């Protein structure tokens, strides 16, 4: 049979997710981290496909999916959410071909900036991305802690959380904060998160000023989180930690970029531990995140 590269369809996503989970766990087990990934419903993939199908590709041989690539675009930022090849077929050029297809998506959309989050310990992915003009920017650590530990002596935050609504006014506040934090509005992605029953969004206020926002998952995960200014990040993270620890989950977690030192300092003070090291890679000039905590390697 011959290998073909074709646009992904909605009915590929369950199989593609199984491939992604298998590929992640093969990598993380090989590097001593144990299996990290479990299957999840492909909700964000389906959202992206409906929004802009140009970014989703599969490599297929005789009806079997061997690789999956998925990118999305917001404004002038292109982001590679996933690139995975079946462990038994890695090193044969499939990842490079799939990446080429999603790079075509970046060109077609006119994106000025490109970024992705990969595994710090994967030499192959980093080398491949550098070949395509994406370079290491900052480490991103997945931190977590038991919720009781994270709450111990947690500094009182001056910021007041208010549950997000889907009004035009809220949308405008989110767009303004995102523009400062990551250079682009993610209006459609906020709509996606607001419709996720397992996640609650909050705006953080200092008096009447909107100082940031965060989403808190029912599993205790924080993110994305953004502050209106870098000096507000620590307080925003403290507010989010309190909200997450007040929730139903036994643990709290967040992805913290190395460039967000005030949040890293607070995480360590609260006894949070690094469970997984990742890496932000970006085209030159993008990715100096000092007031943004991503949600996940795929959502950004
Ligand atoms: C990363 C991944 C998608 C790449 O796909 P692939 O089909 O294995 O890769 P390809 O064969 O197309 O390209 C491999 C390229 O990586 C680069 N590479 C490999 N080892 C390298 C090293 N030690 N140093 C630098 N670059 C290296 C080279 O450019 C190589 O191409 P070449 O052999 O032609 O020179 C795949 O290996 C994979 O799924 N890995 C596990 C999951 C993962 O990390 N995914 C990325 C998540 S963001």
């Amino acid at each position: 049979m011959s290998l073909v590269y074709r646009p992904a369809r909605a009915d590929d996503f369950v199989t593609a997710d199984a491939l992604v989970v298998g590929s992640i766990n093969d990598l993380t087990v090989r590097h001593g981290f144990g299996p990290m990934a479990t299957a999840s419903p492909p909700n964000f993939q389906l959202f992206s496909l409906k929004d802009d199908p140009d970014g989703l590709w599969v490599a297929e041989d005789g009806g079997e999916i061997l690789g999956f690539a998925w990118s999305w675009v917001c404004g002038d930022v292109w982001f590679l959410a996933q690139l995975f090849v079946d462990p038994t077929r890695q090193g044969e050029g499939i990842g490079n071909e799939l990446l080429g297809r999603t790079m075509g998506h970046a060109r077609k959309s006119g994106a000025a900036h490109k970024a992705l989050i990969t595994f710090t310990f994967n030499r192959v992915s980093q080398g491949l991305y550098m070949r395509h003009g994406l370079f290491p920017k900052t480490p991103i650590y997945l931190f977590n802690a038991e919720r009781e530990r994270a709450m111990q002596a947690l500094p009182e935050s001056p910021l007041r959380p208010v549950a997000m609504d889907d009004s035009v006014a809220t949308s405008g506040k989110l767009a303004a904060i995102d523009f400062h934090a990551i250079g682009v509005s993610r209006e459609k992605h906020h709509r996606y998160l607001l419709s996720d029953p397992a996640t609650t969004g909050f705006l953080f206020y200092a008096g009447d000023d909107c100082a940031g926002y965060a989403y808190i998952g029912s599993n205790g995960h924080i993110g994305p989180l953004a502050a209106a200014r870098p000096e507000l990040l620590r307080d925003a993270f403290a507010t989010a930690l309190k909200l997450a620890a007040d929730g139903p989950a036994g643990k709290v977690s967040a992805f913290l970029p190395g460039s967000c030192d005030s949040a890293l300092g607070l995480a360590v003070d609260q006894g949070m531990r690094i469970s997984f090291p990742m890496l932000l890679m970006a085209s030159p000039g993008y990715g100096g995140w000092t007031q943004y905590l991503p949600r996940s390697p795929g959502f950004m």
Side-chain angles (χ1 to χ4, degrees):
M1 288 287 175
S2 64
L3 200 55
V4 293
Y5 298 89
R6 62 160 175 84
R9 302 183 300 252
D11 61 3
D12 293 324
F13 290 153
V14 170
T15 311
D17 185 62
L19 170 96
V20 170
V21 169
S23 181
I24 292 176
N25 289 339
D26 171 73
L27 179 80
T28 57
V29 167
R30 270 195 283 127
H31 288 82
F33 289 90
M36 298 292 296
T38 50
S40 55
N43 298 336
F44 192 41
Q45 289 89 321
L46 287 165
F47 178 90
S48 288
L49 183 74
K50 207 167 162 195
D51 175 57
D52 178 5
D54 288 345
L56 297 107
W57 292 84
V58 296
E60 190 178 55
D61 194 349
E64 189 188 354
I65 294 182
L66 299 177
F68 177 60
W70 161 29
S71 54
W72 51 255
V73 172
C74 271
D76 65 359
V77 171
W78 169 94
F79 190 82
L80 183 67
Q82 288 188 340
L83 175 68
F84 288 93
V85 172
D86 185 306
T88 64
R89 299 294 298 269
Q90 291 174 6
E92 297 176 21
I94 297 174
N96 187 46
E97 283 293 326
L98 283 169
L99 186 56
R101 302 301 196 276
T102 59
M103 285 284 172
H105 175 223
R107 273 192 302 278
K108 195 169 160 186
S109 66
H113 307 292
K114 302 188 199 80
L116 62 91
I117 297 170
T118 189
F119 304 94
T120 308
F121 44 85
N122 193 353
R123 291 168 295 189
V124 180
S125 62
Q126 287 173 61
L128 181 61
Y129 295 141
M130 286 185 226
R131 252 171 75 184
H132 287 263
L134 295 142
F135 298 98
K137 197 72 192 182
T138 185
I140 297 186
Y141 301 101
L142 176 59
F143 268 88
N144 59 35
E146 299 296 325
R147 77 168 185 212
E148 289 78 15
R149 181 66 191 86
M151 281 300 284
Q152 265 175 41
L154 180 67
E156 192 74 27
S157 168
L159 303 180
R160 180 170 47 88
V162 176
M164 264 183 219
D165 58 30
D166 58 0
S167 67
V168 175
T170 295
S171 179
K173 286 173 186 146
L174 293 170
I177 293 168
D178 279 341
F179 188 75
H180 288 294
I182 50 173
V184 73
S185 163
R186 296 188 69 191
E187 198 251 329
K188 64 188 176 192
H189 289 160
H190 287 293
R191 261 192 286 119
Y192 169 79
L193 287 179
L194 277 169
S195 71
D196 177 353
T199 302
T200 309
F202 295 89
L203 294 176
F204 297 158
Y205 282 92
D208 291 335
D209 293 333
C210 190
Y213 71 78
Y215 291 85
I216 315 290
S218 53
N219 59 356
H221 187 65
I222 297 165
L225 175 153
R229 296 191 303 280
E231 58 274 24
L232 292 166
L233 183 68
R234 187 182 164 96
D235 285 340
F237 185 47
T239 312
L241 275 178
K242 168 107 178 46
L243 289 164
D246 283 345
K251 286 195 178 237
V252 297
S253 60
F255 283 99
L256 304 182
S259 45
C260 292
D261 20 327
S262 65
L264 283 166
L266 181 61
V268 172
D269 287 351
Q270 296 313 118
M272 295 182 79
R273 297 287 186 170
I274 299 171
S275 62
F276 208 63
M278 302 209 69
L279 178 70
L280 175 66
M281 298 185 75
S283 51
Y286 187 71
W289 295 344
T290 54
Q291 55 199 92
Y292 186 72
L293 311 183
R295 174 179 177 79
S296 66
F299 188 88
M300 186 176 116

